[in-house]
Amino acid sequence: MARRSIDIKIEEKGRDQGKLFKITEMSAFDTEAWAERAINAILRNATAQDLSVLLPLVYSYVQQVNEDKSLEEVVEDREEGKAAINQATESLAIYFASMFFQLPYDELRVVSDPLLQCCAIYLNPGQSQITEPVLNNPTQYIEEASTIFGLKREVFKLHTDFFTNGAKRHLSKFLSQMDSVTDQSSDTPPTSPKPSAKS
Protein backbone atom coordinates (compact mmCIF):
# COMPACT_ATOMS: atom_id res chain seq x y z
CA MET A 1 0.00 0.00 0.00
CA ALA A 2 1.31 3.43 -0.90
CA ARG A 3 2.08 5.92 1.82
CA ARG A 4 -0.65 8.43 2.56
CA SER A 5 -0.25 11.94 1.24
CA ILE A 6 -2.22 15.18 1.37
CA ASP A 7 -2.02 18.51 -0.45
CA ILE A 8 -1.87 21.74 1.52
CA LYS A 9 -2.47 25.12 -0.14
CA ILE A 10 -1.32 28.21 1.72
CA GLU A 11 -4.29 30.54 2.02
CA GLU A 12 -2.83 33.11 4.43
CA LYS A 13 -1.80 36.44 2.98
CA GLY A 14 1.94 36.77 2.56
CA ARG A 15 4.80 35.69 0.36
CA ASP A 16 3.73 32.03 0.41
CA GLN A 17 0.07 32.61 -0.44
CA GLY A 18 -1.07 30.29 -3.22
CA LYS A 19 1.84 27.86 -2.90
CA LEU A 20 0.82 24.20 -2.97
CA PHE A 21 2.66 21.64 -0.87
CA LYS A 22 2.48 17.85 -0.79
CA ILE A 23 2.91 16.06 2.53
CA THR A 24 3.76 12.36 2.45
CA GLU A 25 3.91 10.17 5.53
CA MET A 26 7.22 8.73 6.68
CA SER A 27 8.22 5.12 6.19
CA ALA A 28 7.21 2.75 8.98
CA PHE A 29 10.76 2.68 10.36
CA ASP A 30 11.19 6.47 10.26
CA THR A 31 7.77 6.97 11.83
CA GLU A 32 8.55 4.66 14.72
CA ALA A 33 11.94 6.29 15.34
CA TRP A 34 10.37 9.76 15.26
CA ALA A 35 7.47 8.79 17.51
CA GLU A 36 9.79 7.18 20.05
CA ARG A 37 11.91 10.34 20.27
CA ALA A 38 8.88 12.63 20.46
CA ILE A 39 7.04 10.59 23.10
CA ASN A 40 10.17 10.26 25.22
CA ALA A 41 10.72 14.03 25.03
CA ILE A 42 7.12 14.66 26.08
CA LEU A 43 7.40 12.21 28.99
CA ARG A 44 10.63 13.79 30.23
CA ASN A 45 9.03 17.24 30.26
CA ALA A 46 5.54 16.32 31.48
CA THR A 47 4.47 17.92 34.74
CA ALA A 48 2.19 16.33 37.32
CA GLN A 49 -0.62 18.49 35.97
CA ASP A 50 0.06 17.30 32.42
CA LEU A 51 -0.09 13.69 33.54
CA SER A 52 -3.30 14.22 35.50
CA VAL A 53 -4.96 15.26 32.22
CA LEU A 54 -3.08 12.88 29.95
CA LEU A 55 -3.55 9.64 31.86
CA PRO A 56 -7.37 9.60 31.61
CA LEU A 57 -7.05 10.25 27.88
CA VAL A 58 -4.62 7.35 27.51
CA TYR A 59 -6.93 5.08 29.52
CA SER A 60 -9.87 6.13 27.34
CA TYR A 61 -7.89 5.37 24.20
CA VAL A 62 -6.75 1.97 25.48
CA GLN A 63 -10.28 1.11 26.58
CA GLN A 64 -11.68 1.87 23.13
CA VAL A 65 -8.85 0.16 21.24
CA ASN A 66 -8.66 -3.01 23.34
CA GLU A 67 -7.16 -6.39 22.62
CA ASP A 68 -10.43 -8.28 22.86
CA LYS A 69 -11.71 -6.95 19.54
CA SER A 70 -10.03 -5.53 16.49
CA LEU A 71 -10.98 -2.12 15.23
CA GLU A 72 -12.78 -3.76 12.31
CA GLU A 73 -14.86 -5.93 14.64
CA VAL A 74 -15.82 -2.99 16.84
CA VAL A 75 -16.92 -0.96 13.82
CA GLU A 76 -18.90 -3.89 12.45
CA ASP A 77 -20.63 -4.42 15.81
CA ARG A 78 -21.76 -0.84 16.18
CA GLU A 79 -21.12 2.38 14.31
CA GLU A 80 -20.85 4.30 17.56
CA GLY A 81 -17.78 2.21 18.36
CA LYS A 82 -15.98 3.88 15.48
CA ALA A 83 -17.07 7.29 16.71
CA ALA A 84 -15.83 6.50 20.22
CA ILE A 85 -12.45 5.37 18.92
CA ASN A 86 -12.13 8.45 16.74
CA GLN A 87 -13.03 10.70 19.66
CA ALA A 88 -10.52 9.03 21.99
CA THR A 89 -7.81 9.19 19.32
CA GLU A 90 -8.56 12.83 18.56
CA SER A 91 -8.55 13.86 22.23
CA LEU A 92 -5.25 12.12 22.87
CA ALA A 93 -3.68 13.54 19.71
CA ILE A 94 -4.78 17.09 20.52
CA TYR A 95 -3.25 16.97 23.99
CA PHE A 96 -0.08 15.32 22.70
CA ALA A 97 0.20 18.00 20.02
CA SER A 98 -0.12 20.79 22.58
CA MET A 99 2.63 19.21 24.70
CA PHE A 100 4.73 18.45 21.63
CA PHE A 101 4.84 22.04 20.41
CA GLN A 102 5.56 23.34 23.94
CA LEU A 103 8.71 21.28 24.39
CA PRO A 104 11.91 23.17 25.27
CA TYR A 105 13.40 24.71 22.13
CA ASP A 106 16.39 22.38 21.75
CA GLU A 107 14.29 19.25 22.11
CA LEU A 108 11.55 20.62 19.89
CA ARG A 109 14.08 21.23 17.10
CA VAL A 110 15.31 17.64 17.32
CA VAL A 111 11.84 16.09 17.08
CA SER A 112 10.19 18.61 14.76
CA ASP A 113 12.86 19.11 12.10
CA PRO A 114 12.26 15.62 10.61
CA LEU A 115 8.67 16.67 9.90
CA LEU A 116 9.82 18.98 7.10
CA GLN A 117 11.41 15.98 5.38
CA CYS A 118 7.85 14.89 4.59
CA CYS A 119 7.11 18.12 2.68
CA ALA A 120 7.47 18.80 -1.02
CA ILE A 121 6.31 21.73 -3.11
CA TYR A 122 4.51 21.59 -6.47
CA LEU A 123 6.76 23.45 -8.88
CA ASN A 124 3.94 24.27 -11.32
CA PRO A 125 0.67 23.73 -9.44
CA GLY A 126 -2.28 23.18 -11.74
CA GLN A 127 -0.01 22.48 -14.69
CA SER A 128 2.01 19.45 -13.60
CA GLN A 129 2.37 17.04 -10.71
CA ILE A 130 6.13 17.61 -10.46
CA THR A 131 7.25 18.20 -6.87
CA GLU A 132 10.56 18.87 -5.17
CA PRO A 133 11.44 18.31 -1.51
CA VAL A 134 11.18 21.56 0.43
CA LEU A 135 14.55 20.98 2.09
CA ASN A 136 16.30 21.00 -1.29
CA ASN A 137 15.89 24.78 -1.31
CA PRO A 138 14.06 25.78 1.88
CA THR A 139 14.69 29.52 1.80
CA GLN A 140 13.25 29.79 -1.71
CA TYR A 141 10.27 27.50 -1.23
CA ILE A 142 9.21 28.81 2.19
CA GLU A 143 9.33 32.53 2.89
CA GLU A 144 7.02 32.85 5.90
CA ALA A 145 7.66 31.42 9.38
CA SER A 146 3.94 30.66 9.71
CA THR A 147 4.23 28.32 6.72
CA ILE A 148 6.91 26.28 8.47
CA PHE A 149 4.76 25.86 11.58
CA GLY A 150 1.66 25.10 9.51
CA LEU A 151 3.42 22.38 7.50
CA LYS A 152 4.87 20.79 10.64
CA ARG A 153 1.42 20.80 12.23
CA GLU A 154 -0.10 19.06 9.20
CA VAL A 155 2.67 16.43 9.14
CA PHE A 156 2.06 15.79 12.83
CA LYS A 157 -1.66 15.33 12.18
CA LEU A 158 -0.94 12.90 9.33
CA HIS A 159 1.01 10.71 11.76
CA THR A 160 -1.52 10.96 14.59
CA ASP A 161 -2.67 7.33 14.30
CA PHE A 162 0.79 5.95 14.86
CA PHE A 163 1.56 8.55 17.50
CA THR A 164 -1.41 7.51 19.61
CA ASN A 165 -0.51 3.85 19.15
CA GLY A 166 2.94 4.77 20.44
CA ALA A 167 1.33 6.34 23.48
CA LYS A 168 -0.51 3.07 24.14
CA ARG A 169 2.78 1.17 24.09
CA HIS A 170 4.28 3.70 26.49
CA LEU A 171 1.42 3.44 28.99
CA SER A 172 3.65 1.74 31.55
CA LYS A 173 6.01 4.74 31.46
CA PHE A 174 3.11 7.09 32.12
CA LEU A 175 2.02 4.94 35.06
CA SER A 176 5.53 4.73 36.48
CA GLN A 177 6.01 8.48 36.26
CA MET A 178 2.62 9.18 37.82
CA ASP A 179 3.35 6.70 40.63
CA SER A 180 6.67 8.45 41.25
CA VAL A 181 4.97 11.86 41.43
CA THR A 182 2.28 10.48 43.74
CA ASP A 183 4.85 8.87 46.03
CA GLN A 184 6.83 12.10 46.30
CA SER A 185 3.77 14.19 47.10
CA SER A 186 2.58 11.76 49.77
CA ASP A 187 5.92 11.55 51.56
CA THR A 188 5.94 13.17 54.98
CA PRO A 189 9.06 14.74 56.44
CA PRO A 190 10.89 12.31 58.68
CA THR A 191 10.58 12.99 62.38
CA SER A 192 13.61 13.28 64.57
CA PRO A 193 14.31 10.18 66.63
CA LYS A 194 13.35 10.40 70.27
CA PRO A 195 16.33 10.80 72.53
CA SER A 196 17.16 7.63 74.34
CA ALA A 197 16.47 7.57 78.04
CA LYS A 198 19.56 7.95 80.15
CA SER A 199 20.18 5.17 82.60
Side-chain angles (χ1 to χ4, degrees), residues 7-21 125 144 146-148 150-151 153-154:
D7 290 344
I8 300 295
K9 185 176 182 179
I10 305 301
E11 304 289 355
E12 294 181 8
K13 290 184 178 180
R15 291 165 290 187
D16 292 332
Q17 187 175 25
K19 292 181 180 178
L20 186 63
F21 295 90
E144 299 286 353
S146 59
T147 303
I148 298 173
L151 290 174
R153 183 183 62 228
E154 293 300 327

Side-chain angles (χ1 to χ4, degrees), residues 18 22 59 101 125 153 163 171 173 176 187 193:
K22 182 176 185 178
Y59 276 123
F101 288 107
R153 183 183 62 228
F163 204 77
L171 180 58
K173 293 183 181 180
S176 297
D187 286 344

Side-chain angles (χ1 to χ4, degrees), residues 54-150:
L54 195 54
L55 275 174
L57 293 177
V58 174
Y59 276 123
S60 173
Y61 178 78
V62 172
Q63 185 177 7
Q64 295 299 335
V65 188
N66 58 71
E67 297 179 0
D68 295 332
K69 292 184 178 181
S70 68
L71 173 60
E72 292 77 12
E73 289 172 326
V74 171
V75 173
E76 286 177 6
D77 286 348
R78 50 194 173 94
E79 187 61 27
E80 59 266 27
K82 181 178 179 181
I85 290 173
N86 288 341
Q87 184 176 8
T89 302
E90 183 179 358
S91 298
L92 184 57
I94 288 172
Y95 202 79
F96 258 120
S98 68
M99 294 178 69
F100 179 87
F101 288 107
Q102 292 179 46
L103 286 170
Y105 177 76
D106 290 340
E107 289 197 88
L108 180 59
R109 285 296 302 270
V110 171
V111 295
S112 68
D113 281 355
L115 301 181
L116 285 180
Q117 296 174 6
C118 300
C119 302
I121 187 170
Y122 285 92
L123 299 178
N124 295 295
Q127 301 177 28
S128 73
Q129 293 296 307
I130 298 175
T131 62
E132 184 173 7
V134 165
L135 294 181
N136 283 1
N137 198 345
T139 56
Q140 178 181 339
Y141 295 146
I142 299 178
E143 300 178 83
E144 299 286 353
S146 59
T147 303
I148 298 173
F149 180 79

